[in-house]
Amino acid sequence: MPSVRSAALGFFVATGSRGEAVGEAGLSHFLEHLLFRGTDRYGSAEIDQLFDGMGAELNAGTDKESTAVYARMLDQHLPAAFDVMADMVWRPAFKDVDPEREVVLEEIAMYEDDPQDTVFDVLGEAVFGTHPLGRPIIGRAPVIRDTPVDVIAEFHARRYVPRSVVIAAAGSVDHDAIVELAAKTLGDHRALEPVEAPEPAPARPETNVRFVRKDTEQVHVTLGGLGLQRGDERRFAARVLDAIFGGLSSSRLFQAVREERGLAYSVYSFAGQYSDTGQVGLYVGTRPDNIVEAMQVVSDELERLREEPATEAELVRARENVKARVVLGMESTGARMHRLGGSLLFDLPLLETDEVMERIDAVTMDDMRSLVDELWAPDGLSAAGIGPDEDTFCSAVEKITGTVNSKAA
């Protein structure tokens, strides 16, 4: 990107919570934290000082199927930043592990205190059951507290191997220079045995209702089911459908639940993709005395969606919105870097911007109808809630899910 003076750099690792056994739940996220605790060459405080001294932003994130360590810096600092990040990824020293345990345990406690976040994991359990995709990425406190350092080091050695890593950069960068830095910083690091393939996703799990009783001022509700896998060609149509249903301020859910009736502050639909499956859903946060009316409105909008997935005006508006978000994102070095890294890591085609826009423009009304029939079918939706009254919640979602009894999460 010749018009910028900054660079975005990321190391993308094909390991996440989906690849963990029950006794490892949370190790991918914990390991991400430990990368920042230093290497033999760079101490934890030294890493902070180096990136602060460069005016750079260093961060990391873990999701279901990958972990990313990424940074933005001035182009002149790219070689130094690359050297430190590569050492963190390939050669963490696993120093100061116990203080970081406490940090992650505090993070888990903070997370579990926030029902607006945790309700999505309750939905994951409802949709995917005991499959690893149904477990929280953040992990479980006993695993973080009790896993020995040598087990964590072995976990790293099996997963952070060259064949499982993509390095991506965008901005004021030179491809050949990046390749040279990669070769230089990899050193003699070599792969061990191949990483085990993750457990296949359930083809058609049972629909469920899950509820967690908590003395909250709102009832936090999520509804959803299986979605499209990451490489599905219909993913462009799915983005358009999401924009129409609940992804925009002009969307049906937002207008019906919030703008017209004032039943929620936060209401939206969402979608996620994995290597062999996906998830769609919607979220509503509302006061207990509004839950029955809010779920009736959601039920009405779902029925309307099945009868008329889109008007011509909605389809045009949603396509233009999705195209704009793609183009605006491409003007960010960080967004470009993440797009490159994720596409290569998951073996997706690297489409030019014009190609993506053509795919979005090609979305038709028939595409909307077929997706609604598949993704939002009445017999495919599970529900999850967090709030003070389980009976009221179950009664409110019964019409949508067809299930009156819940199972405690």
Side-chain angles (χ1 to χ4, degrees), residues 209-231:
V209 175
R210 295 283 190 272
F211 186 81
V212 176
R213 193 198 171 282
K214 202 176 186 73
D215 289 327
T216 56
E217 294 297 317
Q218 283 190 314
V219 184
H220 300 271
V221 182
T222 50
L223 297 159
L226 294 183
L228 302 181
Q229 65 185 54
R230 190 178 286 111

Side-chain angles (χ1 to χ4, degrees), residues 107-389:
E107 184 183 5
I108 292 173
M110 180 177 67
Y111 174 77
E112 291 180 346
D113 277 345
D114 188 349
Q116 195 168 354
D117 281 341
T118 53
V119 72
F120 293 96
D121 285 329
V122 182
L123 179 65
E125 181 185 339
V127 172
F128 293 108
T130 58
H131 188 277
L133 285 173
R135 291 201 297 262
I137 296 168
I138 198 168
R140 295 177 172 145
V143 175
I144 305 305
R145 186 180 57 245
D146 300 333
T147 303
V149 175
D150 60 338
V151 173
I152 301 170
E154 193 271 338
F155 186 89
H156 171 272
R158 284 189 286 119
R159 287 164 171 77
Y160 281 59
V161 296
R163 66 164 64 94
S164 299
V165 176
V166 166
I167 299 171
S172 180
V173 298
D174 176 79
H175 178 80
D176 292 338
I178 296 292
V179 172
E180 185 177 344
L181 286 169
K184 176 183 176 183
T185 56
L186 181 62
D188 60 356
H189 192 93
R190 292 293 179 266
L192 300 178
E193 66 274 7
V195 178
E196 293 181 9
E199 178 184 342
R204 185 72 176 178
E206 294 181 2
T207 58
N208 294 288
V209 175
R210 295 283 190 272
F211 186 81
V212 176
R213 193 198 171 282
K214 202 176 186 73
D215 289 327
T216 56
E217 294 297 317
Q218 283 190 314
V219 184
H220 300 271
V221 182
T222 50
L223 297 159
L226 294 183
L228 302 181
Q229 65 185 54
R230 190 178 286 111
D232 195 310
E233 284 299 314
R234 298 172 296 168
R235 64 189 182 276
F236 305 99
R239 289 187 65 178
V240 175
L241 177 62
D242 183 66
I244 292 169
F245 183 43
L248 305 177
S249 59
S250 63
S251 67
R252 293 180 179 185
L253 273 180
F254 191 91
Q255 289 294 314
V257 176
R258 173 172 162 154
E259 297 299 276
E260 296 173 12
R261 297 171 179 84
L263 294 171
Y265 174 80
S266 184
V267 52
Y268 54 87
S269 61
F270 58 89
Q273 292 82 42
Y274 311 119
S275 59
D276 57 352
T277 189
Q279 186 181 347
V280 295
L282 64 88
Y283 166 84
V284 179
T286 189
R287 286 173 293 164
D289 54 339
N290 287 332
I291 180 67
V292 173
E293 184 181 357
M295 288 300 99
Q296 181 61 56
V297 175
V298 169
S299 178
D300 292 344
E301 288 303 320
L302 282 167
E303 187 61 33
R304 179 186 169 204
L305 188 71
R306 293 164 190 141
E307 293 176 356
E308 185 185 27
T311 65
E312 193 60 42
E314 287 174 323
L315 183 59
V316 170
R317 183 167 59 244
R319 284 191 305 223
E320 290 303 309
N321 182 276
V322 173
K323 287 192 299 183
R325 283 187 283 170
V326 169
V327 173
L328 293 174
M330 293 293 282
E331 294 183 357
S332 159
T333 57
R336 281 207 180 198
M337 175 267 293
H338 279 282
R339 175 176 173 269
L340 289 168
S343 295
L344 288 175
L345 191 68
F346 297 116
D347 197 28
L348 296 176
L350 279 170
L351 301 176
E352 297 292 339
T353 304
D354 288 344
E355 292 179 283
V356 175
M357 296 178 74
E358 287 173 5
R359 305 270 183 108
I360 296 167
D361 276 330
V363 174
T364 66
M365 202 71 75
D366 286 340
D367 295 330
M368 298 291 95
R369 292 189 186 95
S370 65
L371 279 176
V372 169
D373 290 342
E374 179 177 342
L375 302 180
W376 293 101
D379 61 351
L381 296 181
S382 293
I386 297 178
D389 188 342

